[in-house]
Amino acid sequence: MQERNYSIKSWAKDDRPREKLLSKSPISLSDAELLAILLNNGNRDRSALDLACDLMQLCRNNLQELGKLSVFDLMKVKGIGEAKAVIITAAMELGRRRQAALALDCPIITSSRDVALYLQQLFQDYSHEVFVVLFLNRANKIRHSEIISSGGITGTVADPRIIMKKALEQEAVALILSHNHPSGNLKPSKADEELTYKIREAAKLLDIKVMDHIIVSTEGYFSFADEGLL
């Protein structure tokens, strides 16, 4: 029996994902073909496209589900090592950030609605709680956003001292605190309220205003400012 050649380089040029993208356009490629380009090469048993198809089967042919997989989840696919898994994870994160940036089309923050969609896009693939702070300038424009801490499925803790240090570094005059509730429940916990109070009081000492604390989930969002809790 003739041994199969698993190298994409042996394929006709029109069938190779990279050449297909160059000669046509990215939109003409399937999800698996785009993944194969990221993987760059396969192994002695499987081509890059074969491995990409295996990955798509793992996430049930759903890119949203692929974006939720960790490096270690991806490495469960035979032929996907750490390097390939890291590349895919990085690509998914870039896509997530691009999507989140597009959601924040308003240059000036005037209400919780201006940032809620941005935060939902940012948090959408996290299965654990993540605490993010938006640092604003005098014009209420976001200078910087940063993940301050990430925790377990049930909670995370943010250190007010770290937040104040970063606020001074960014020359921020206002902050918007935010975190996600993977459970979908939008009601703030007692710990959420106490942490908000600590950060607000610490910020006052530096003449920095905490404009809001927004909790987001797939179900919607909860604004401390809108509910009169700030």
Side-chain angles (χ1 to χ4, degrees):
M1 182 181 294
Q2 185 176 3
E3 185 178 354
R4 179 180 172 186
N5 192 330
Y6 292 96
S7 173
I8 290 178
K9 292 180 180 179
S10 67
W11 298 6
K13 282 191 175 182
D14 290 343
D15 294 332
R16 300 178 198 169
R18 190 176 298 174
E19 281 75 5
K20 187 175 178 181
L21 185 149
L22 289 171
S23 63
K24 296 179 181 179
S25 71
I27 200 171
S28 67
L29 276 69
S30 67
D31 293 342
E33 287 174 323
L34 291 170
L35 271 176
I37 293 174
L38 290 176
L39 295 174
N40 190 39
N41 54 54
N43 55 35
R44 61 183 298 175
D45 298 319
R46 311 275 283 166
S47 71
L49 187 57
D50 290 331
L51 296 178
C53 289
D54 291 343
L55 284 169
M56 293 307 299
Q57 286 183 351
L58 178 67
C59 67
R60 300 187 295 277
N61 294 308
N62 186 324
L63 290 178
Q64 292 292 344
E65 294 301 316
L66 181 63
K68 296 177 183 179
L69 299 178
S70 69
V71 168
F72 301 104
D73 290 331
L74 296 170
M75 289 172 64
K76 292 176 182 177
V77 174
K78 187 176 180 181
I80 301 296
E82 185 179 88
K84 285 181 168 58
V86 165
I87 289 171
I88 295 166
T89 302
M92 293 293 106
E93 179 63 22
L94 282 172
R96 186 184 300 113
R97 293 185 187 187
R98 180 174 184 266
Q99 192 175 18
L102 288 172
L104 192 64
D105 201 22
C106 181
I108 299 177
I109 303 303
T110 59
S111 70
S112 58
R113 289 186 177 274
D114 288 340
V115 292
L117 180 58
Y118 166 79
L119 293 170
Q120 283 180 312
Q121 300 289 350
L122 191 66
F123 289 130
Q124 65 179 331
D125 292 331
Y126 288 101
S127 58
H128 57 275
E129 282 201 12
V130 179
F131 197 97
V132 170
V133 177
L134 308 181
F135 301 90
L136 282 66
N137 63 16
R138 294 186 185 279
N140 275 3
K141 293 183 178 181
I142 297 175
R143 289 181 58 91
H144 179 67
S145 64
E146 186 168 336
I147 294 177
I148 301 299
S149 64
S150 59
I153 295 174
T154 57
T156 183
V157 176
D159 189 336
R161 293 170 298 181
I162 293 176
I163 294 172
M164 293 307 107
K165 180 176 182 292
K166 292 184 179 297
L168 292 174
E169 290 172 351
Q170 296 297 326
E171 298 182 348
V173 300
L175 308 174
I176 295 178
L177 313 176
S178 64
H179 75 280
N180 62 326
H181 277 182
S183 65
N185 178 21
L186 288 169
K187 184 178 180 180
S189 66
K190 186 66 176 176
D192 292 336
E193 294 179 4
E194 291 174 351
L195 179 59
T196 304
Y197 176 80
K198 284 182 180 180
I199 297 173
R200 185 189 69 181
E201 293 306 300
K204 280 182 181 179
L205 297 175
L206 299 174
D207 199 25
I208 297 173
K209 181 180 179 181
V210 175
M211 293 180 61
D212 206 345
H213 185 167
I214 298 177
I215 301 172
V216 299
S217 77
T218 54
E219 306 301 319
Y221 73 96
F222 178 95
S223 164
F224 276 62
D226 291 352
E227 299 299 324
L229 298 178
L230 274 176

